[in-house]
Amino acid sequence: MYNEFLANIYFLTEYEGGRKTNIPKSLRTYRPLLYYKKNNYHCQIDLENIEVISLGNTYQLKIKILDVCPIKIGDIFELRELSTIGRGKIFCQV
């Protein structure tokens, strides 16, 4: 079982230390690590209704946390690949 939330997520630009390229529409789901309270958790972000994730922008996205994670509404987290690529805040549970 997993927890599913809606979150506002800001994707860092390359200048801010984030990814070098946008996240393309061809990915139906995107699976970075969710970093919360000094721990990494597996998550999945639904990109089906997004043309492209442009770096430097904030998006309201559905995020599924695939591990047992104590995150709750109002909590702030980071998304990571090799380094931090985004920052977000949970605003409701789906």
Side-chain angles (χ1 to χ4, degrees), residues 1-92:
M1 188 168 147
Y2 56 84
N3 287 321
E4 197 167 330
F5 297 96
L6 286 178
N8 288 321
I9 303 172
Y10 173 75
F11 289 87
L12 300 169
T13 63
E14 181 180 7
Y15 177 76
E16 296 169 311
R19 291 174 57 100
K20 293 182 180 186
T21 60
N22 293 330
I23 301 168
K25 178 184 178 178
S26 63
L27 295 177
R28 291 190 169 269
T29 58
Y30 177 56
R31 291 188 173 186
L33 289 174
L34 182 136
Y35 183 74
Y36 174 71
K37 291 193 175 182
K38 299 182 182 180
N39 291 303
N40 288 313
Y41 300 93
H42 292 95
C43 73
Q44 176 177 307
I45 299 174
D46 182 4
L47 300 178
E48 287 187 25
N49 298 324
I50 304 292
E51 285 294 320
V52 65
I53 297 289
S54 297
L55 306 180
N57 291 313
T58 300
Y59 296 87
Q60 184 180 86
L61 299 168
K62 187 185 324 179
I63 186 168
K64 295 176 187 175
I65 302 171
L66 307 173
D67 294 321
V68 175
C69 175
I71 200 166
K72 59 191 178 311
I73 296 169
D75 286 345
I76 295 171
F77 61 90
E78 292 182 350
L79 294 179
R80 292 186 169 177
E81 287 177 343
L82 294 175
S83 62
T84 300
I85 60 157
R87 293 187 177 94
K89 182 175 183 179
I90 300 292
F91 70 88
C92 74

